[in-house]
Amino acid sequence: MPPPADIVKVAIEWPGAYPKLMEIDQKKPLSAIIKEVCDGWSLANHEYFALQHADSSNFYITEKNRNEIKNGTILRLTTSPAQNAQQLHERIQSSSMDAKLEALKDLASLSRDVTFAQEFINLDGISLLTQMVESGTERYQKLQKIMKPCFGDMLSFTLTAFVELMDHGIVSWDTFSVAFIKKIASFVNKSGMDISILQRSLAILESMVLNSHDLYQKVAQEITIGQLIPHLQGTDQEIQTYTIAVINALFLKAPDERRQEMANILAQKQLRSIILTHVIRAQRAINNEMAHQLYVLQVLTFNLLEDRMMTKMDPQDQAQRDIIFELRRIAFDAESEPNNSSGSMEKRKSMYTRDYKKLGFINHVNPAMDFTQTPPGMLALDNMLYFAKHHQDAYIRIVLENSSREDKHECPFGRSSIELTRMLCEILKVGELPSETCNDFHPMFFTHDRSFEEFFCICIQLLNKTWKEMRATSEDFNKVMQVVKEQVMRALTTKPSSLDQFKCKLQNLSYTEILKIRQSERMNQEDFQSRPILELKEKIQPEILELIKQQRLNRLVEGTCFRKLNCRRRQVPVADIKAVVTGKDCPHMKEKGALKQNKEVLELAFSILYDSNCQLNFIAPDKHEYCIWTDGLNALLGKDMMSELTRNDLDTLLSMEIKLRLLDLENIQIPDAPPPIPKEPSNYDFVYDCN
């Protein structure tokens, strides 16, 4: 007969004694269970004791998390969180350097547990740590030279404990003094600082900037880009990641009027080239967290274009009109200006109208009106001027080539540039906040200070080339733009390492090649729609689904590194899983906070529900991992795998399997209907010898 569901069998350890095997009744109060354990070892004052997991987490057992205890769990009887917090609060103030160091080491480890953290914070422990950072380091300054390893470890453990305690979100970041900020900033600004101290200091600065507007202003006064850049030139990728994270945080929280100024400083300090040399092209793989920070920096950099993208042209602004005049001058420099007389004024207007038509503007009389729609606004005109000045030969060739064609066959440079700029902004999501989970950065955008403009210059030449290959007319304008978008998107998915490599990828994606790709995709779809093929697909589909299921389960066994959402470490037996929920149904997506507002995060969220009211919450690093895990968990629960990845895998594997089975029928037309049954023979006077 199985034991009652409320009874769990565990082992409990106590230093210097043999472990006890014990049955815990989950309906009894935790205090009564602890008293029973203490009585078994003749320990008085049971209220001073607690149970904790004996694994590496060492997390305390509380009334809230006791349901996580499963059969076979190993627990440890230990000092209660309140007692432990009180003792450590006293020990870290010891006059003995060795005792102080050991206490800080224990504090750094225990602070990961939210139960202990709450007790230590209740003793005003955060203030004590900040005071130690502000004044304690100065007190031991003289000892630093003779006891440098000890001093470095002490400060490292102090900062580690501080970071772990603040991660629980119990204390507001707004409570810290300028002196503390200055001290943390000094650790970052000082050369030769211990790696662990530097890492934790950078993490603290990033959290300060992201969590408090007031602290952002104070940190921005203490930290300059010039002081951060040397950390990017080292070889430690973790330090580089934290450094870029601080730069991103300063960038993200900067007021609108300061972002462009900050971007100019980044350009002056050659941040882009330093990241390209020491991070992207370093002889080591880029981990997911670094890729995420590079993606965030890429998004924030492109978002500087939003102001121009959303600015309409003022037809009465002479400075803006002069840009259009400059485009005309570069293209048609041979034209001489007529004298400013009433008779020649009409002639000049007529000439300008003719030239603006050649330049491909929609409004030939007043082309400024073409730039009054947002997006792309003035950004399109900026791109056109950049192309005309920095790629002058290509610009003149495109304008003159099209002005010499028939009207209906000319590729309108002005209109094309405006639509192309809008399309590129959509592709790069200019103006959108960076996702908290995406790591989709493009190395080629770190190879040039004006990467967006260069990106445009390559794409406008591609557009003109595709227009000619398609022999397009003005009626085909939207079709050409669709083909160009497909060419650009397909080239970007290959993650070219430079703009030249991107250009080469586009060369291989001519209009003819795009047609072949489309034709192949269409044929694959059409070939498999006949009745015999559909019947074959239906027959082999269960086998393919089982293969996909096994792959998903194997991936679950391998595991995935998820972003930390809280500091609690839990294990859930598969048998206890009740359901898997996704998106808005997830408990952590229903909570108030920044994550709720982010659509991309919502699409990557899932939760495992188990027991009566418990859950494990996750945010997948990307859409692929999200599909893998939701598929695998649903497969464990005996439910259908409904993800987009499963549909794609099923289509791909079915297609391959059917093609393999039909190899012998190549070039043979498969009938839509089965062959007719032949007529009955005139007699049945025949025998087959089966021997």
Side-chain angles (χ1 to χ4, degrees), residues 460-475:
I460 192 64
Q461 294 177 75
L462 168 72
L463 193 154
N464 189 64
K465 172 175 170 285
T466 302
W467 185 283
K468 289 189 290 186
E469 290 174 348
M470 292 178 67
R471 299 180 181 178
T473 64
S474 54
E475 288 81 9

Side-chain angles (χ1 to χ4, degrees), residues 518-583:
R518 288 180 174 179
Q519 179 74 7
S520 174
E521 292 173 350
R522 186 164 55 247
M523 286 180 64
N524 285 338
Q525 292 176 350
E526 291 174 354
D527 286 348
F528 297 147
Q529 298 308 310
S530 63
R531 183 179 170 186
I533 300 299
L534 290 175
E535 290 178 355
L536 179 59
K537 284 173 68 174
E538 187 176 342
K539 182 178 179 181
I540 64 178
Q541 183 167 312
E543 179 184 338
I544 301 297
L545 281 172
E546 182 62 28
L547 182 64
I548 295 173
K549 175 183 174 181
Q550 289 303 318
Q551 189 270 342
R552 300 293 193 265
L553 295 177
N554 289 339
R555 283 296 310 276
L556 262 61
V557 172
E558 291 175 14
T560 299
C561 182
F562 290 92
R563 287 192 161 218
K564 182 172 69 173
L565 297 182
N566 57 54
C567 294
R568 297 176 65 186
R569 182 178 181 273
R570 289 171 289 180
Q571 293 181 343
V572 179
V574 172
D576 290 347
I577 298 176
K578 306 298 182 187
V580 177
V581 294
T582 60

Side-chain angles (χ1 to χ4, degrees), residues 264 303 306 547 660:
N264 294 337
N303 280 356
E306 184 181 12
L547 182 64
L660 286 171

